[in-house]
Amino acid sequence: MSKDSKDKNRYDNVAAGSRRRFLVGAGTALGGGALAWSMTGCEEGTTTPSAAPTPAPHKGQEVHAAPGQLDDYYGFWSGGQSGEIRILGVPSMRELKRIPVFNRESATGWGATDFSKKLLGGTMSGDTHHVHLSYTDGTYDGRYIYVNDKFSARLARVRIATMEVDKIVDIPNSQGTHGIFPQRHKTGLVLCNSEFRIPQPNDGRDMDDPSKYAAMHTAIDGETMELKWQVMVEGNMDLCATDYTGDYSFATCYNSEGGVTLEEMMAADLDHLYVFNLKAIQAAVDAGKTIEINGAKVVDARGADSEFVMRVPVPKSPHGVNITPDGKYAVVAGKLSPTCSVVQIDMLADAFAGKIKPRDCVVAEPEVGLGPLHTAFDGKGNAYTSIFIDSVMTKWNIDTAIAQFKGGTESPILDKVDVHYQVGHTNASMSETKEADGKWLVALCKFSKDRFLPVGMLHPENDQLIDMTMDKLEVVHDGPAYSEPHDCVIVRRDIINTLQVQDRKDDRFAMYDAWAKADGIDIMSTNKVIRNGKKVRVWMTSQAPKFGMNEFKVKAGDEVQVIVTNIDNVQDLSHGFAVCNHDTNMLINAQDTQSITFTASSKPGLYWYYCSWFCHALHLEMRGRMFVEA
Ligand code: CUK
Ligand code: CUA
């Protein structure tokens, strides 16, 4: 038997065995067999590549982008533990750029420049899971990208015009900031879930008393990136979503048990979708009905349902929550239940008013496969749910699922396509807007196993592209990805407009302008060394292929700040500034200014500085001498 067919059999056996169980408990398929299987699908030891059979020619949309041809969509991928955001072209799946966010990056100097250091505050790693763009009137407005840091409870914002981070905010009283989602009716609040429950306040009290732990649903102002309020709830929160009207935000709660071990967290057959009533919360905040914890205004909504928070019971350890493009339904993926729960949003007001029970708002619960995680939409009434354990994408019809829930006999399941392997997030072109267009679906697979040449113990992930314009879903591209994208959004290219040269409008420039004013210099033309005790500030221009200064002198151990302004006014004419043997490099784009501060070597001598980004035929000659005097 070939390795492929052996693996296929093993897959079939596990999947068939697991499907018999409606709910999955600890020690059954997910707890033991299936997950263990997914981790050990390959034989131990070394592997040799064995290619899958050549697929039949694809009959749907054009996938390949020929040389020089542009993609129709931008894909914004989170970078997981790499701490970054990545930009891909869709459908070619070509990686176009990485935006460093919470990570230190050598190429651009992010995390080393003065501005990025100020934003990062010394925390140089991050875990980005969820990347979402700002909205106006239910669709992307092309202004900002928001992304979470799960490691250190932060939210960052990228200005789309520059594709650079312009703000980072710390989220207090939170650990494991995971799901985030901006409001969709306007650029308003960005809601952020803390996944891990902690004592409140977390100051050494109640450390070993989980009954006292709580989690925060936090609202950050998407314009100012300031903390507005927090709502404290008893259960943990995983994924986040907002409606299209500004009334509600949502959080899945997989640990309503309040457990601290795996077994405890998986005990209950029903957990919750938390529904947050944003107007009631805002009214309480405005009326001062909050408590203060570490400077945050906190609405305490623990325990029972209230005007602030309602708990819709859904099976079991739910993960993703996604809102249909028409704004009518929240689709909650069951994770440990092979179902998605469809919650009708316009029934929530009656449930808040006590006229119906929260569970009455669940209007469908189709069986979609084992381990449903996330759902995308085509804007034509169909949903596409990623199924982790079965390694499939399931296409299902929402109206048929609702009819089935009322007793109808037609199956809502329209198609299932194998993906390779263990798909986490999925998303589709414009899926999270009212303009969902049903063109391209991606499956972000956590394991790639035999799909690529072996590259050592850590395999790439496999971001697969699926054509969703035909009756049958068809995988049309394997996209190896470095660890570890969780989520992505796919955005029509006409929405994204970026600068070719810097417009100098970010906060960063106010900082340089203040320094220039203090030093009495013209930032765009002055080349000057200004000494202030042990501190030396070097103002320098760059214009291909020369720096404005061929040499400067400092003393051993000086604190040296170099501020470089790239006065070239030409698209893609970027320079770098690197100082040999000083762990110092930064990128300076056209018409941009960047600054970096370092300590001059304790060893007197000559240290060359040079342009590290290829800019000109005489790029190698673009350098100068830093003399470090005793
Ligand atoms: S989570 Cu990773 S697969 Cu962080 Cu959105 Cu679902
Ligand atoms: Cu300037 Cu290379």
Side-chain angles (χ1 to χ4, degrees):
M1 195 187 282
S2 75
K3 183 168 104 31
D4 281 342
S5 55
K6 240 188 337 193
D7 281 345
K8 179 78 172 65
N9 279 351
R10 203 177 318 185
Y11 161 80
D12 285 339
N13 290 340
V14 170
S18 307
R19 275 199 195 95
R20 274 181 229 119
R21 299 183 186 93
F22 183 75
L23 297 175
V24 184
T28 60
L30 186 66
L35 194 62
W37 163 82
S38 74
M39 312 297 286
T40 57
C42 288
E43 277 78 8
E44 277 175 32
T46 59
T47 54
T48 44
S50 61
T54 310
H58 170 66
K59 294 205 183 64
Q61 311 168 78
E62 181 81 28
V63 183
H64 177 67
Q69 201 183 334
L70 302 183
D71 283 292
D72 294 328
Y73 297 88
Y74 285 85
F76 296 98
W77 257 242
S78 61
Q81 327 86 329
S82 70
E84 63 199 12
I85 293 174
R86 300 177 193 160
I87 310 177
L88 274 68
V90 177
S92 75
M93 303 291 275
R94 296 178 295 198
E95 185 178 296
L96 306 176
K97 185 172 189 161
R98 296 181 171 200
I99 306 172
V101 181
F102 299 110
N103 53 318
R104 179 171 172 175
E105 196 205 47
S106 172
T108 57
W110 185 258
T113 60
D114 294 327
F115 178 74
S116 59
K117 268 176 135 168
K118 193 169 114 188
L119 290 194
L120 290 164
T123 304
M124 312 301 279
S125 66
D127 187 10
T128 60
H129 283 229
H130 299 112
V131 40
H132 294 291
L133 276 61
S134 57
Y135 288 81
T136 299
D137 193 22
T139 193
Y140 298 130
D141 59 15
R143 300 172 66 213
Y144 299 116
I145 305 169
Y146 306 100
V147 68
N148 75 304
D149 171 19
K150 186 170 169 177
F151 286 159
S152 298
R154 293 179 291 178
L155 182 74
R157 184 175 79 180
V158 169
R159 185 181 164 212
I160 286 177
T162 58
M163 290 298 180
E164 292 168 358
V165 174
D166 78 335
K167 303 258 192 200
I168 295 179
V169 56
D170 287 315
I171 300 177
N173 308 317
S174 298
Q175 286 182 18
T177 292
H178 189 213
I180 63 157
F181 217 102
Q183 288 191 295
R184 294 193 231 215
H185 64 302
K186 63 168 192 175
T187 308
L189 303 175
V190 183
L191 287 311
C192 309
N193 289 339
S194 62
E195 186 176 338
F196 304 147
R197 302 161 63 248
I198 54 173
Q200 302 287 357
N202 188 23
D203 57 2
R205 75 185 78 173
D206 304 330
M207 277 195 295
D208 197 22
D209 183 358
S211 71
K212 300 254 176 66
Y213 298 175
M216 295 290 187
H217 188 63
T218 300
I220 306 286
D221 185 316
E223 296 280 3
T224 63
M225 292 294 279
E226 283 164 2
L227 174 72
K228 302 303 282 187
W229 45 255
Q230 302 190 294
V231 177
M232 180 158 58
V233 291
E234 69 290 347
N236 78 331
M237 286 175 286
D238 199 10
L239 273 291
C240 186
T242 60
D243 65 5
Y244 277 76
T245 56
D247 292 321
Y248 304 115
S249 57
F250 304 91
T252 49
C253 168
Y254 65 75
N255 183 16
S256 59
E257 302 89 339
V260 292
T261 65
L262 176 69
E263 293 73 20
E264 288 167 9
M265 293 185 212
M266 292 170 69
D269 279 346
L270 285 175
D271 292 284
H272 299 133
L273 176 70
Y274 283 116
V275 183
F276 295 88
N277 183 340
L278 298 176
K279 298 210 165 98
I281 293 163
Q282 188 61 53
V285 172
D286 292 344
K289 292 181 187 158
T290 52
I291 51 174
E292 194 180 307
I293 306 179
N294 290 316
K297 290 176 183 159
V298 177
V299 174
D300 186 353
R302 288 174 296 176
D305 287 346
S306 63
E307 58 178 319
F308 307 121
V309 183
M310 181 170 61
R311 293 151 187 82
V312 179
V314 291
K316 168 182 185 173
S317 294
H319 186 61
V321 50
N322 299 91
I323 311 301
T324 54
D326 59 12
K328 283 188 186 164
Y329 305 108
V331 176
V332 185
K335 191 168 81 183
L336 301 191
S337 158
T339 54
C340 282
S341 303
V342 180
V343 174
Q344 188 170 324
I345 291 171
D346 68 6
M347 294 172 75
L348 294 169
D350 277 353
F352 267 108
K355 292 179 194 159
I356 56 174
K357 291 204 178 74
R359 175 70 195 173
D360 295 340
C361 302
V362 175
V363 295
E365 213 147 66
E367 206 165 322
V368 291
L370 203 67
L373 292 186
H374 297 280
T375 302
F377 306 100
D378 60 9
K380 303 175 180 80
N382 301 312
Y384 301 77
T385 301
S386 57
I387 313 290
F388 181 84
I389 298 175
D390 285 347
S391 284
V392 298
M393 289 294 307
T394 299
K395 175 181 180 181
W396 54 281
N397 183 271
I398 298 162
D399 285 342
T400 316
I402 293 168
Q404 185 194 41
F405 198 66
K406 288 187 185 133
T409 50
E410 192 186 339
S411 166
I413 306 301
L414 300 174
D415 193 23
K416 290 191 181 188
V417 66
D418 285 336
V419 289
H420 312 86
Y421 304 89
Q422 268 65 50
V423 55
H425 264 277
T426 182
N427 223 324
S429 40
M430 299 297 287
S431 174
E432 292 180 334
T433 74
K434 66 178 184 185
E435 298 182 293
D437 63 12
K439 291 281 203 286
W440 297 107
L441 182 68
V442 292
L444 304 187
C445 299
K446 296 295 180 190
F447 299 91
S448 61
K449 212 172 61 171
D450 49 14
R451 303 292 285 192
F452 306 111
L453 290 174
V455 287
M457 291 165 289
L458 178 67
H459 295 227
E461 311 207 350
N462 191 2
D463 298 345
Q464 291 191 302
L465 183 72
I466 297 169
D467 187 344
M468 62 199 294
T469 59
M470 301 176 294
D471 283 344
K472 287 278 185 200
L473 295 173
E474 191 176 320
V475 174
V476 294
H477 182 87
D478 269 9
Y482 183 65
S483 308
E484 177 182 342
H486 277 255
D487 195 7
C488 67
V489 292
I490 301 169
V491 180
R492 264 196 348 260
R493 77 180 195 206
D494 61 276
I495 292 169
I496 304 299
N497 293 296
T498 60
L499 295 168
Q500 296 307 324
V501 300
Q502 176 60 256
D503 68 356
R504 305 181 70 85
K505 283 189 181 146
D506 291 357
D507 288 358
R508 196 149 62 79
F509 295 94
M511 182 174 91
Y512 307 134
D513 290 344
W515 297 339
K517 199 170 165 209
D519 289 349
I521 64 109
D522 173 8
I523 207 168
M524 301 305 283
S525 64
T526 308
N527 288 282
K528 192 174 179 185
V529 178
I530 296 169
R531 174 173 286 279
N532 187 353
K534 288 285 286 171
K535 292 185 176 180
V536 180
R537 182 177 278 167
V538 181
W539 290 95
M540 198 187 295
T541 59
S542 67
Q543 186 170 31
K546 270 177 75 69
F547 287 111
M549 212 180 271
N550 290 326
E551 57 188 59
F552 64 87
K553 284 181 191 155
V554 298
K555 294 209 162 47
D558 275 347
E559 183 189 303
V560 183
Q561 182 188 42
V562 179
I563 307 170
V564 181
T565 297
N566 179 351
I567 58 175
D568 275 310
N569 199 348
V570 178
Q571 171 178 335
D572 204 18
L573 215 168
S574 302
H575 299 290
F577 177 84
V579 186
C580 290
N581 301 359
H582 278 76
D583 189 22
T584 294
N585 177 52
M586 62 181 175
L587 163 76
I588 315 104
N589 291 314
Q591 293 289 300
D592 204 348
T593 299
Q594 293 281 1
S595 71
I596 195 163
T597 303
F598 57 95
T599 305
S601 177
S602 58
K603 292 181 194 143
L606 157 69
Y607 297 90
W608 287 94
Y609 55 91
Y610 71 97
C611 175
S612 55
W613 282 78
F614 211 107
C615 57
H616 191 277
L618 296 172
H619 156 76
L620 294 178
E621 288 83 348
M622 186 168 173
R623 51 189 163 114
R625 292 178 298 168
M626 178 175 80
F627 300 111
V628 176
E629 299 174 333

